[in-house]
């Protein structure tokens, strides 16, 4: 199950339990809409409560990342799981966004907000 929230230039997703293909499709729809009307967005992916994911989600994530390689500014991944940290690092091969892993949500949100601030 996932919960989603979107604000200007930000999509937040939290995964609870198993991350299924239906959940991923819901995430894709939101991102496609945001990118179409706002351009590149930041993404906050909270995986702290994720119990696992199905293989079809892993495959869909690879395809999605390749299609949206330039559609993200920054991607913050919230997790303490080493496997997911490694997976986030690997995803950088498919997207041009900055990808960082955080254990603290406040730090993750601050990092994402800093990308939205105009350069001085």
């Amino acid at each position: 199950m996932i919960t989603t929230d979107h604000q200007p230039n930000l999509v937040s997703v939290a995964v609870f339990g198993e991350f299924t293909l239906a959940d991923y499709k819901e995430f894709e729809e939101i991102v496609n809409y945001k990118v179409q009307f706002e351009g590149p967005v930041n993404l906050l992916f909270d995986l702290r409560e994720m119990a696992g994911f199905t293989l079809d989600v892993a495959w869909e994530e690879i395809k999605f990342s390749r299609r949206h390689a330039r559609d993200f500014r920054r991607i913050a991944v919230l997790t303490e799981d080493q496997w997911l940290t490694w997976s986030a690092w690997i995803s950088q091969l498919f997207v041009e966004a900055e990808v960082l892993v955080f254990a603290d949500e406040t730090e993750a949100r601050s990092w994402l907000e800093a990308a939205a601030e105009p350069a001085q």
Side-chain angles (χ1 to χ4, degrees):
M1 178 182 135
I2 66 169
T3 62
T4 59
D5 180 42
H6 52 93
Q7 301 163 2
N9 302 311
L10 176 66
V11 175
S12 301
V13 178
V15 180
F16 302 93
E18 186 173 65
F19 196 15
T20 66
L21 186 58
D23 296 331
Y24 200 88
K25 293 292 187 179
E26 180 181 338
F27 158 72
E28 278 185 310
E29 285 180 31
I30 291 168
V31 168
N32 287 334
Y33 178 85
K34 296 289 282 184
V35 167
Q36 179 180 357
F37 292 103
E38 294 180 16
V41 297
N42 290 323
L43 175 63
L44 175 65
F45 236 116
D46 186 346
L47 304 178
R48 295 174 292 182
E49 299 296 324
M50 184 175 79
F53 55 89
T54 59
L55 287 177
D56 50 356
V57 167
W59 177 243
E60 190 65 25
E61 196 278 329
I62 291 169
K63 294 188 312 184
F64 178 82
S65 294
R66 294 185 69 170
R67 280 192 311 268
H68 294 278
R70 293 179 177 92
D71 291 338
F72 299 102
R73 288 188 184 102
R74 287 185 171 180
I75 301 171
V77 180
L78 283 167
T79 186
E80 294 179 4
D81 182 286
Q82 286 300 106
W83 169 250
L84 293 175
T85 299
W86 183 80
S87 178
W89 180 80
I90 290 294
S91 72
Q92 291 183 48
L93 300 174
F94 300 107
V95 295
E96 294 181 11
E98 293 179 78
V99 180
L100 283 182
V101 176
F102 296 87
D104 181 75
E105 184 173 350
T106 302
E107 290 177 16
R109 288 187 181 276
S110 293
W111 181 71
L112 291 172
E113 288 171 10
E117 295 173 3
Q120 297 182 10

